[in-house]
Amino acid sequence: MTSLKTGYLLFLAAFLFLSTVTTVAEVVESVADCNQFLLQTTPPQVPGILEDGRILDQNRYKTICQTFENQRRFLTLYDTTNKIPVFSAYKYIGEKDKGRPPNDWKIEPQLEKDDENKNMVDEERGKTYNNQASNTDYENSEGFDRGHLRPSIHAFTRSDKESTMTLTNIVPQQHASNMGNWRNMEDCIKCVMEHFCIDNNKKIEGFVVAGASPGSESKLNEKVNIPSYLWSGFCCYNPRKRVWIASGHWGDNIPDGPQYLQSQTLADLSSKLGGTNLFPVPDCPTDKNLGQYPGIKITQTCSKCKAN
């Protein structure tokens, strides 16, 4: 009798415990729920949107812990009104699998309804969505590409690369920008992180936050906001030089920009973004661009990257 009673109490305790455990969903309540992709787990400060880790308008802005094949890949703060991301944040650890993944575009099902599936899913061709862009929204786009915030070349495995092909990581970007100076910048920052962002275990580790500033009026096919410019920043530690390295870039979303973007300080980028602080931690330097680090050979235009 005692053993039956004990067994019942253990069952009841287990039931009550499981009843209080919430299912980890891809669209999460707070940026803190997906902070493994942030430097020192500290979220950016975006005035009027994300302050002290708190989203001010949780009906409009959603935190997506981008999940593919049941694995979290990176973080996106998404604007359901403009139907573009505010930013995507990720940790760069190198590129094991080369090559671009197929254009199998995906969407986030939990932006549309409560869904137990925490994974991004293939979008249904021809379908439109209330809270996010669809592939149809980008058709007949008059010179605009589906521009990545986290590019596939900054992803490690084939599956990581496939996870970047979600429309919640995409903004309308002028083709000339996407395949020109922005691509050059992404290639160069990749090179910088591979040469200089090496942790104490001799592994690559750099943190990147990339975003887009919404345009004032223009919408792609009257649905998706066309950003006026894109921006990106990175920060990492180089134990060999015993120095933290950081810089920022921005580029106008126009068809006739320069071939290379100038490297900027994080302070300059913050000023451009109206006070946004990508890495609000004391270690990241805010007063140097890539051409100002002693002993590190990187041109300010980020056109060349050399190991030293």
Side-chain angles (χ1 to χ4, degrees), residues 126-173:
K127 184 174 181 178
T128 58
Y129 302 94
N130 293 325
N131 299 314
Q132 61 191 304
S134 69
N135 199 32
T136 301
D137 296 333
Y138 280 87
E139 293 178 352
N140 303 315
S141 53
E142 300 178 1
F144 286 93
D145 290 349
R146 298 160 182 81
H148 289 68
L149 293 190
R150 185 191 186 186
S152 63
I153 62 167
H154 285 193
F156 188 61
T157 66
R158 183 71 174 179
S159 292
D160 290 331
K161 290 177 179 293
E162 290 179 21
S163 76
T164 68
M165 308 299 286
T166 171
L167 292 163
T168 54
N169 180 49
I170 297 297
V171 300
Q173 185 176 11

mmCIF file of all heavy atoms in Angstrom, residues 126-173:
data_model
loop_
_atom_site.group_PDB
_atom_site.id
_atom_site.type_symbol
_atom_site.label_atom_id
_atom_site.label_comp_id
_atom_site.label_asym_id
_atom_site.label_seq_id
_atom_site.Cartn_x
_atom_site.Cartn_y
_atom_site.Cartn_z
ATOM 1 N N GLY A 126 2.808 31.388 -53.924
ATOM 2 C CA GLY A 126 1.630 32.176 -54.227
ATOM 3 C C GLY A 126 0.876 32.672 -53.016
ATOM 4 O O GLY A 126 -0.059 33.464 -53.151
ATOM 5 N N LYS A 127 1.282 32.233 -51.820
ATOM 6 C CA LYS A 127 0.571 32.642 -50.621
ATOM 7 C C LYS A 127 1.155 33.933 -50.065
ATOM 8 O O LYS A 127 2.356 34.179 -50.158
ATOM 9 C CB LYS A 127 0.654 31.544 -49.557
ATOM 10 C CG LYS A 127 -0.151 31.834 -48.306
ATOM 11 C CD LYS A 127 -0.150 30.644 -47.351
ATOM 12 C CE LYS A 127 -0.980 30.950 -46.113
ATOM 13 N NZ LYS A 127 -1.026 29.784 -45.185
ATOM 14 N N THR A 128 0.315 34.779 -49.497
ATOM 15 C CA THR A 128 0.761 35.982 -48.810
ATOM 16 C C THR A 128 0.453 35.842 -47.328
ATOM 17 O O THR A 128 -0.409 35.060 -46.921
ATOM 18 C CB THR A 128 0.075 37.235 -49.374
ATOM 19 O OG1 THR A 128 -1.346 37.089 -49.241
ATOM 20 C CG2 THR A 128 0.434 37.435 -50.837
ATOM 21 N N TYR A 129 1.158 36.632 -46.526
ATOM 22 C CA TYR A 129 1.061 36.510 -45.078
ATOM 23 C C TYR A 129 0.759 37.865 -44.449
ATOM 24 O O TYR A 129 1.105 38.918 -44.979
ATOM 25 C CB TYR A 129 2.364 35.940 -44.516
ATOM 26 C CG TYR A 129 2.734 34.592 -45.100
ATOM 27 C CD1 TYR A 129 3.596 34.508 -46.200
ATOM 28 C CD2 TYR A 129 2.204 33.416 -44.590
ATOM 29 C CE1 TYR A 129 3.932 33.282 -46.755
ATOM 30 C CE2 TYR A 129 2.529 32.176 -45.140
ATOM 31 C CZ TYR A 129 3.388 32.122 -46.215
ATOM 32 O OH TYR A 129 3.717 30.906 -46.764
ATOM 33 N N ASN A 130 0.139 37.812 -43.292
ATOM 34 C CA ASN A 130 -0.244 39.044 -42.603
ATOM 35 C C ASN A 130 0.931 39.721 -41.918
ATOM 36 O O ASN A 130 1.002 40.955 -41.873
ATOM 37 C CB ASN A 130 -1.332 38.750 -41.570
ATOM 38 C CG ASN A 130 -2.646 38.325 -42.191
ATOM 39 O OD1 ASN A 130 -3.011 38.816 -43.261
ATOM 40 N ND2 ASN A 130 -3.346 37.412 -41.542
ATOM 41 N N ASN A 131 1.847 38.936 -41.360
ATOM 42 C CA ASN A 131 2.865 39.489 -40.468
ATOM 43 C C ASN A 131 4.284 39.341 -40.965
ATOM 44 O O ASN A 131 5.226 39.637 -40.235
ATOM 45 C CB ASN A 131 2.743 38.829 -39.086
ATOM 46 C CG ASN A 131 1.400 39.094 -38.445
ATOM 47 O OD1 ASN A 131 0.918 40.228 -38.435
ATOM 48 N ND2 ASN A 131 0.777 38.048 -37.924
ATOM 49 N N GLN A 132 4.460 38.893 -42.194
ATOM 50 C CA GLN A 132 5.801 38.729 -42.749
ATOM 51 C C GLN A 132 5.713 38.733 -44.267
ATOM 52 O O GLN A 132 4.635 38.572 -44.855
ATOM 53 C CB GLN A 132 6.431 37.426 -42.260
ATOM 54 C CG GLN A 132 5.678 36.178 -42.663
ATOM 55 C CD GLN A 132 6.172 34.943 -41.936
ATOM 56 O OE1 GLN A 132 7.358 34.605 -41.983
ATOM 57 N NE2 GLN A 132 5.264 34.250 -41.253
ATOM 58 N N ALA A 133 6.866 38.926 -44.886
ATOM 59 C CA ALA A 133 6.910 38.943 -46.347
ATOM 60 C C ALA A 133 6.818 37.532 -46.900
ATOM 61 O O ALA A 133 7.196 36.554 -46.244
ATOM 62 C CB ALA A 133 8.200 39.606 -46.809
ATOM 63 N N SER A 134 6.315 37.437 -48.108
ATOM 64 C CA SER A 134 6.287 36.170 -48.838
ATOM 65 C C SER A 134 7.182 36.301 -50.059
ATOM 66 O O SER A 134 7.591 37.399 -50.455
ATOM 67 C CB SER A 134 4.859 35.819 -49.268
ATOM 68 O OG SER A 134 4.415 36.728 -50.269
ATOM 69 N N ASN A 135 7.470 35.182 -50.671
ATOM 70 C CA ASN A 135 8.276 35.210 -51.890
ATOM 71 C C ASN A 135 7.545 35.957 -53.002
ATOM 72 O O ASN A 135 8.161 36.647 -53.817
ATOM 73 C CB ASN A 135 8.614 33.785 -52.329
ATOM 74 C CG ASN A 135 9.802 33.738 -53.275
ATOM 75 O OD1 ASN A 135 10.717 34.551 -53.180
ATOM 76 N ND2 ASN A 135 9.787 32.792 -54.190
ATOM 77 N N THR A 136 6.220 35.853 -53.016
ATOM 78 C CA THR A 136 5.410 36.569 -54.004
ATOM 79 C C THR A 136 5.621 38.071 -53.910
ATOM 80 O O THR A 136 5.618 38.782 -54.929
ATOM 81 C CB THR A 136 3.918 36.234 -53.808
ATOM 82 O OG1 THR A 136 3.725 34.830 -53.951
ATOM 83 C CG2 THR A 136 3.049 36.967 -54.816
ATOM 84 N N ASP A 137 5.831 38.581 -52.696
ATOM 85 C CA ASP A 137 6.043 40.019 -52.497
ATOM 86 C C ASP A 137 7.305 40.519 -53.195
ATOM 87 O O ASP A 137 7.448 41.717 -53.447
ATOM 88 C CB ASP A 137 6.130 40.344 -51.007
ATOM 89 C CG ASP A 137 4.833 40.046 -50.264
ATOM 90 O OD1 ASP A 137 3.776 40.087 -50.914
ATOM 91 O OD2 ASP A 137 4.887 39.770 -49.052
ATOM 92 N N TYR A 138 8.237 39.608 -53.472
ATOM 93 C CA TYR A 138 9.501 40.005 -54.105
ATOM 94 C C TYR A 138 9.508 39.776 -55.614
ATOM 95 O O TYR A 138 10.502 40.080 -56.279
ATOM 96 C CB TYR A 138 10.667 39.228 -53.462
ATOM 97 C CG TYR A 138 11.107 39.806 -52.138
ATOM 98 C CD1 TYR A 138 10.482 39.425 -50.954
ATOM 99 C CD2 TYR A 138 12.143 40.732 -52.057
ATOM 100 C CE1 TYR A 138 10.874 39.951 -49.734
ATOM 101 C CE2 TYR A 138 12.549 41.261 -50.844
ATOM 102 C CZ TYR A 138 11.907 40.865 -49.683
ATOM 103 O OH TYR A 138 12.298 41.401 -48.479
ATOM 104 N N GLU A 139 8.440 39.251 -56.152
ATOM 105 C CA GLU A 139 8.375 39.048 -57.599
ATOM 106 C C GLU A 139 8.122 40.379 -58.318
ATOM 107 O O GLU A 139 7.522 41.291 -57.760
ATOM 108 C CB GLU A 139 7.282 38.037 -57.936
ATOM 109 C CG GLU A 139 7.606 36.630 -57.426
ATOM 110 C CD GLU A 139 6.505 35.636 -57.709
ATOM 111 O OE1 GLU A 139 5.423 36.063 -58.172
ATOM 112 O OE2 GLU A 139 6.725 34.426 -57.460
ATOM 113 N N ASN A 140 8.609 40.469 -59.559
ATOM 114 C CA ASN A 140 8.503 41.721 -60.342
ATOM 115 C C ASN A 140 9.051 42.893 -59.536
ATOM 116 O O ASN A 140 8.401 43.930 -59.381
ATOM 117 C CB ASN A 140 7.044 41.980 -60.733
ATOM 118 C CG ASN A 140 6.444 40.821 -61.508
ATOM 119 O OD1 ASN A 140 7.064 40.279 -62.421
ATOM 120 N ND2 ASN A 140 5.232 40.418 -61.128
ATOM 121 N N SER A 141 10.259 42.692 -59.012
ATOM 122 C CA SER A 141 10.789 43.620 -58.004
ATOM 123 C C SER A 141 11.620 44.764 -58.559
ATOM 124 O O SER A 141 12.236 45.508 -57.800
ATOM 125 C CB SER A 141 11.622 42.839 -56.987
ATOM 126 O OG SER A 141 12.614 42.060 -57.638
ATOM 127 N N GLU A 142 11.715 44.887 -59.882
ATOM 128 C CA GLU A 142 12.304 46.068 -60.517
ATOM 129 C C GLU A 142 13.694 46.395 -59.993
ATOM 130 O O GLU A 142 13.962 47.492 -59.501
ATOM 131 C CB GLU A 142 11.378 47.284 -60.323
ATOM 132 C CG GLU A 142 9.997 47.101 -60.933
ATOM 133 C CD GLU A 142 9.092 48.293 -60.688
ATOM 134 O OE1 GLU A 142 9.547 49.260 -60.057
ATOM 135 O OE2 GLU A 142 7.942 48.248 -61.136
ATOM 136 N N GLY A 143 14.606 45.444 -60.085
ATOM 137 C CA GLY A 143 15.997 45.696 -59.722
ATOM 138 C C GLY A 143 16.350 45.403 -58.285
ATOM 139 O O GLY A 143 17.507 45.631 -57.883
ATOM 140 N N PHE A 144 15.410 44.923 -57.495
ATOM 141 C CA PHE A 144 15.695 44.613 -56.097
ATOM 142 C C PHE A 144 15.926 43.113 -55.915
ATOM 143 O O PHE A 144 15.210 42.280 -56.474
ATOM 144 C CB PHE A 144 14.553 45.063 -55.191
ATOM 145 C CG PHE A 144 14.484 46.548 -54.997
ATOM 146 C CD1 PHE A 144 13.680 47.323 -55.815
ATOM 147 C CD2 PHE A 144 15.232 47.174 -54.015
ATOM 148 C CE1 PHE A 144 13.608 48.695 -55.650
ATOM 149 C CE2 PHE A 144 15.179 48.543 -53.844
ATOM 150 C CZ PHE A 144 14.356 49.314 -54.655
ATOM 151 N N ASP A 145 16.928 42.790 -55.095
ATOM 152 C CA ASP A 145 17.204 41.413 -54.719
ATOM 153 C C ASP A 145 16.605 41.111 -53.351
ATOM 154 O O ASP A 145 16.206 42.014 -52.611
ATOM 155 C CB ASP A 145 18.721 41.168 -54.625
ATOM 156 C CG ASP A 145 19.408 41.190 -55.973
ATOM 157 O OD1 ASP A 145 18.702 41.188 -57.009
ATOM 158 O OD2 ASP A 145 20.653 41.218 -55.988
ATOM 159 N N ARG A 146 16.583 39.844 -53.019
ATOM 160 C CA ARG A 146 16.302 39.416 -51.646
ATOM 161 C C ARG A 146 17.631 39.488 -50.902
ATOM 162 O O ARG A 146 18.439 38.563 -50.969
ATOM 163 C CB ARG A 146 15.721 38.003 -51.633
ATOM 164 C CG ARG A 146 14.371 37.889 -52.369
ATOM 165 C CD ARG A 146 14.099 36.438 -52.746
ATOM 166 N NE ARG A 146 12.853 36.279 -53.494
ATOM 167 C CZ ARG A 146 12.723 36.505 -54.802
ATOM 168 N NH1 ARG A 146 13.771 36.926 -55.494
ATOM 169 N NH2 ARG A 146 11.568 36.330 -55.409
ATOM 170 N N GLY A 147 17.866 40.589 -50.225
ATOM 171 C CA GLY A 147 19.160 40.846 -49.591
ATOM 172 C C GLY A 147 19.235 40.268 -48.192
ATOM 173 O O GLY A 147 18.404 40.565 -47.340
ATOM 174 N N HIS A 148 20.249 39.448 -47.938
ATOM 175 C CA HIS A 148 20.429 38.819 -46.640
ATOM 176 C C HIS A 148 21.030 39.788 -45.615
ATOM 177 O O HIS A 148 21.926 40.566 -45.941
ATOM 178 C CB HIS A 148 21.390 37.635 -46.741
ATOM 179 C CG HIS A 148 20.848 36.449 -47.461
ATOM 180 N ND1 HIS A 148 20.580 36.448 -48.816
ATOM 181 C CD2 HIS A 148 20.536 35.204 -47.013
ATOM 182 C CE1 HIS A 148 20.129 35.254 -49.166
ATOM 183 N NE2 HIS A 148 20.088 34.479 -48.099
ATOM 184 N N LEU A 149 20.556 39.685 -44.380
ATOM 185 C CA LEU A 149 21.269 40.337 -43.287
ATOM 186 C C LEU A 149 22.361 39.413 -42.754
ATOM 187 O O LEU A 149 23.498 39.809 -42.592
ATOM 188 C CB LEU A 149 20.305 40.749 -42.173
ATOM 189 C CG LEU A 149 19.308 41.855 -42.552
ATOM 190 C CD1 LEU A 149 18.570 42.348 -41.314
ATOM 191 C CD2 LEU A 149 19.994 43.024 -43.254
ATOM 192 N N ARG A 150 21.983 38.158 -42.448
ATOM 193 C CA ARG A 150 23.033 37.167 -42.233
ATOM 194 C C ARG A 150 23.276 36.479 -43.567
ATOM 195 O O ARG A 150 22.437 35.727 -44.050
ATOM 196 C CB ARG A 150 22.648 36.121 -41.191
ATOM 197 C CG ARG A 150 23.826 35.180 -40.909
ATOM 198 C CD ARG A 150 23.487 33.959 -40.108
ATOM 199 N NE ARG A 150 24.717 33.242 -39.788
ATOM 200 C CZ ARG A 150 24.771 32.060 -39.190
ATOM 201 N NH1 ARG A 150 23.648 31.434 -38.856
ATOM 202 N NH2 ARG A 150 25.927 31.487 -38.932
ATOM 203 N N PRO A 151 24.430 36.696 -44.181
ATOM 204 C CA PRO A 151 24.684 36.086 -45.484
ATOM 205 C C PRO A 151 25.068 34.620 -45.333
ATOM 206 O O PRO A 151 25.615 34.208 -44.307
ATOM 207 C CB PRO A 151 25.855 36.910 -46.034
ATOM 208 C CG PRO A 151 26.595 37.365 -44.812
ATOM 209 C CD PRO A 151 25.534 37.581 -43.754
ATOM 210 N N SER A 152 24.820 33.846 -46.368
ATOM 211 C CA SER A 152 25.143 32.424 -46.293
ATOM 212 C C SER A 152 26.646 32.193 -46.188
ATOM 213 O O SER A 152 27.076 31.190 -45.617
ATOM 214 C CB SER A 152 24.564 31.680 -47.509
ATOM 215 O OG SER A 152 25.149 32.146 -48.710
ATOM 216 N N ILE A 153 27.461 33.107 -46.705
ATOM 217 C CA ILE A 153 28.916 32.924 -46.611
ATOM 218 C C ILE A 153 29.413 33.097 -45.181
ATOM 219 O O ILE A 153 30.566 32.767 -44.885
ATOM 220 C CB ILE A 153 29.690 33.871 -47.553
ATOM 221 C CG1 ILE A 153 29.434 35.334 -47.177
ATOM 222 C CG2 ILE A 153 29.363 33.606 -48.999
ATOM 223 C CD1 ILE A 153 30.407 36.290 -47.845
ATOM 224 N N HIS A 154 28.583 33.615 -44.294
ATOM 225 C CA HIS A 154 28.951 33.743 -42.879
ATOM 226 C C HIS A 154 28.402 32.595 -42.049
ATOM 227 O O HIS A 154 28.370 32.672 -40.818
ATOM 228 C CB HIS A 154 28.458 35.072 -42.317
ATOM 229 C CG HIS A 154 29.267 36.249 -42.759
ATOM 230 N ND1 HIS A 154 29.155 37.503 -42.172
ATOM 231 C CD2 HIS A 154 30.210 36.388 -43.720
ATOM 232 C CE1 HIS A 154 29.979 38.347 -42.761
ATOM 233 N NE2 HIS A 154 30.631 37.690 -43.717
ATOM 234 N N ALA A 155 27.961 31.531 -42.711
ATOM 235 C CA ALA A 155 27.401 30.377 -42.012
ATOM 236 C C ALA A 155 28.357 29.188 -42.143
ATOM 237 O O ALA A 155 29.058 29.045 -43.147
ATOM 238 C CB ALA A 155 26.027 30.021 -42.575
ATOM 239 N N PHE A 156 28.363 28.314 -41.138
ATOM 240 C CA PHE A 156 29.389 27.272 -41.014
ATOM 241 C C PHE A 156 29.088 26.027 -41.846
ATOM 242 O O PHE A 156 29.869 25.630 -42.701
ATOM 243 C CB PHE A 156 29.553 26.902 -39.538
ATOM 244 C CG PHE A 156 30.700 25.977 -39.248
ATOM 245 C CD1 PHE A 156 32.002 26.348 -39.542
ATOM 246 C CD2 PHE A 156 30.474 24.743 -38.659
ATOM 247 C CE1 PHE A 156 33.073 25.498 -39.278
ATOM 248 C CE2 PHE A 156 31.528 23.881 -38.381
ATOM 249 C CZ PHE A 156 32.827 24.266 -38.687
ATOM 250 N N THR A 157 27.948 25.403 -41.602
ATOM 251 C CA THR A 157 27.609 24.147 -42.270
ATOM 252 C C THR A 157 26.584 24.387 -43.385
ATOM 253 O O THR A 157 26.023 25.481 -43.513
ATOM 254 C CB THR A 157 27.027 23.137 -41.281
ATOM 255 O OG1 THR A 157 25.760 23.627 -40.799
ATOM 256 C CG2 THR A 157 27.967 22.906 -40.105
ATOM 257 N N ARG A 158 26.330 23.340 -44.134
ATOM 258 C CA ARG A 158 25.316 23.425 -45.178
ATOM 259 C C ARG A 158 23.955 23.770 -44.582
ATOM 260 O O ARG A 158 23.222 24.597 -45.120
ATOM 261 C CB ARG A 158 25.243 22.076 -45.914
ATOM 262 C CG ARG A 158 24.269 22.048 -47.085
ATOM 263 C CD ARG A 158 24.787 22.864 -48.240
ATOM 264 N NE ARG A 158 23.935 22.730 -49.426
ATOM 265 C CZ ARG A 158 24.167 23.366 -50.564
ATOM 266 N NH1 ARG A 158 25.202 24.185 -50.659
ATOM 267 N NH2 ARG A 158 23.377 23.197 -51.602
ATOM 268 N N SER A 159 23.630 23.147 -43.458
ATOM 269 C CA SER A 159 22.340 23.432 -42.810
ATOM 270 C C SER A 159 22.290 24.865 -42.295
ATOM 271 O O SER A 159 21.241 25.525 -42.372
ATOM 272 C CB SER A 159 22.105 22.449 -41.663
ATOM 273 O OG SER A 159 21.896 21.145 -42.152
ATOM 274 N N ASP A 160 23.407 25.360 -41.761
ATOM 275 C CA ASP A 160 23.457 26.759 -41.329
ATOM 276 C C ASP A 160 23.181 27.685 -42.513
ATOM 277 O O ASP A 160 22.455 28.681 -42.387
ATOM 278 C CB ASP A 160 24.827 27.090 -40.731
ATOM 279 C CG ASP A 160 25.073 26.423 -39.389
ATOM 280 O OD1 ASP A 160 24.094 26.178 -38.661
ATOM 281 O OD2 ASP A 160 26.247 26.157 -39.072
ATOM 282 N N LYS A 161 23.756 27.361 -43.649
ATOM 283 C CA LYS A 161 23.551 28.186 -44.840
ATOM 284 C C LYS A 161 22.087 28.154 -45.282
ATOM 285 O O LYS A 161 21.513 29.186 -45.644
ATOM 286 C CB LYS A 161 24.462 27.701 -45.978
ATOM 287 C CG LYS A 161 25.941 27.967 -45.752
ATOM 288 C CD LYS A 161 26.780 27.396 -46.881
ATOM 289 C CE LYS A 161 28.251 27.686 -46.676
ATOM 290 N NZ LYS A 161 28.571 29.119 -46.780
ATOM 291 N N GLU A 162 21.491 26.968 -45.257
ATOM 292 C CA GLU A 162 20.084 26.854 -45.641
ATOM 293 C C GLU A 162 19.190 27.671 -44.713
ATOM 294 O O GLU A 162 18.166 28.211 -45.147
ATOM 295 C CB GLU A 162 19.665 25.385 -45.640
ATOM 296 C CG GLU A 162 20.283 24.573 -46.772
ATOM 297 C CD GLU A 162 19.878 23.110 -46.734
ATOM 298 O OE1 GLU A 162 18.838 22.807 -46.110
ATOM 299 O OE2 GLU A 162 20.595 22.276 -47.317
ATOM 300 N N SER A 163 19.580 27.794 -43.451
ATOM 301 C CA SER A 163 18.756 28.553 -42.499
ATOM 302 C C SER A 163 18.749 30.043 -42.785
ATOM 303 O O SER A 163 17.840 30.754 -42.350
ATOM 304 C CB SER A 163 19.248 28.305 -41.066
ATOM 305 O OG SER A 163 20.451 29.014 -40.783
ATOM 306 N N THR A 164 19.746 30.542 -43.521
ATOM 307 C CA THR A 164 19.750 31.973 -43.860
ATOM 308 C C THR A 164 18.730 32.298 -44.937
ATOM 309 O O THR A 164 18.429 33.471 -45.172
ATOM 310 C CB THR A 164 21.143 32.433 -44.343
ATOM 311 O OG1 THR A 164 21.445 31.834 -45.612
ATOM 312 C CG2 THR A 164 22.229 32.056 -43.341
ATOM 313 N N MET A 165 18.186 31.254 -45.587
ATOM 314 C CA MET A 165 17.249 31.464 -46.699
ATOM 315 C C MET A 165 15.812 31.561 -46.184
ATOM 316 O O MET A 165 14.883 30.969 -46.739
ATOM 317 C CB MET A 165 17.375 30.331 -47.711
ATOM 318 C CG MET A 165 18.788 30.065 -48.183
ATOM 319 S SD MET A 165 19.568 31.468 -49.032
ATOM 320 C CE MET A 165 18.708 31.411 -50.602
ATOM 321 N N THR A 166 15.646 32.308 -45.114
ATOM 322 C CA THR A 166 14.311 32.593 -44.609
ATOM 323 C C THR A 166 13.989 34.050 -44.898
ATOM 324 O O THR A 166 14.852 34.937 -44.737
ATOM 325 C CB THR A 166 14.200 32.308 -43.096
ATOM 326 O OG1 THR A 166 12.944 32.810 -42.616
ATOM 327 C CG2 THR A 166 15.324 32.961 -42.310
ATOM 328 N N LEU A 167 12.782 34.311 -45.311
ATOM 329 C CA LEU A 167 12.396 35.672 -45.687
ATOM 330 C C LEU A 167 12.355 36.620 -44.498
ATOM 331 O O LEU A 167 12.283 37.834 -44.687
ATOM 332 C CB LEU A 167 11.056 35.642 -46.412
ATOM 333 C CG LEU A 167 11.107 34.972 -47.793
ATOM 334 C CD1 LEU A 167 9.715 34.611 -48.281
ATOM 335 C CD2 LEU A 167 11.817 35.865 -48.801
ATOM 336 N N THR A 168 12.424 36.089 -43.274
ATOM 337 C CA THR A 168 12.527 36.952 -42.094
ATOM 338 C C THR A 168 13.960 37.439 -41.880
ATOM 339 O O THR A 168 14.215 38.224 -40.966
ATOM 340 C CB THR A 168 12.033 36.232 -40.828
ATOM 341 O OG1 THR A 168 12.730 34.989 -40.683
ATOM 342 C CG2 THR A 168 10.535 35.966 -40.904
ATOM 343 N N ASN A 169 14.901 36.989 -42.718
ATOM 344 C CA ASN A 169 16.290 37.448 -42.693
ATOM 345 C C ASN A 169 16.603 38.286 -43.935
ATOM 346 O O ASN A 169 17.755 38.572 -44.213
ATOM 347 C CB ASN A 169 17.221 36.220 -42.630
ATOM 348 C CG ASN A 169 18.698 36.557 -42.604
ATOM 349 O OD1 ASN A 169 19.145 37.397 -41.825
ATOM 350 N ND2 ASN A 169 19.473 35.906 -43.468
ATOM 351 N N ILE A 170 15.553 38.714 -44.640
ATOM 352 C CA ILE A 170 15.706 39.320 -45.969
ATOM 353 C C ILE A 170 15.089 40.717 -46.003
ATOM 354 O O ILE A 170 14.058 40.971 -45.379
ATOM 355 C CB ILE A 170 15.019 38.421 -47.025
ATOM 356 C CG1 ILE A 170 15.703 37.055 -47.101
ATOM 357 C CG2 ILE A 170 14.985 39.089 -48.392
ATOM 358 C CD1 ILE A 170 17.140 37.101 -47.537
ATOM 359 N N VAL A 171 15.744 41.607 -46.772
ATOM 360 C CA VAL A 171 15.179 42.930 -47.058
ATOM 361 C C VAL A 171 15.288 43.189 -48.557
ATOM 362 O O VAL A 171 16.150 42.604 -49.234
ATOM 363 C CB VAL A 171 15.919 44.057 -46.292
ATOM 364 C CG1 VAL A 171 15.835 43.842 -44.797
ATOM 365 C CG2 VAL A 171 17.381 44.167 -46.741
ATOM 366 N N PRO A 172 14.421 44.055 -49.118
ATOM 367 C CA PRO A 172 14.594 44.459 -50.518
ATOM 368 C C PRO A 172 15.880 45.282 -50.667
ATOM 369 O O PRO A 172 16.013 46.339 -50.062
ATOM 370 C CB PRO A 172 13.360 45.312 -50.804
ATOM 371 C CG PRO A 172 12.372 44.960 -49.734
ATOM 372 C CD PRO A 172 13.204 44.631 -48.532
ATOM 373 N N GLN A 173 16.813 44.775 -51.436
ATOM 374 C CA GLN A 173 18.110 45.442 -51.606
ATOM 375 C C GLN A 173 18.411 45.618 -53.083
ATOM 376 O O GLN A 173 18.249 44.689 -53.876
ATOM 377 C CB GLN A 173 19.218 44.618 -50.939
ATOM 378 C CG GLN A 173 20.580 45.290 -50.950
ATOM 379 C CD GLN A 173 21.640 44.490 -50.200
ATOM 380 O OE1 GLN A 173 21.409 43.338 -49.838
ATOM 381 N NE2 GLN A 173 22.787 45.092 -49.972
#
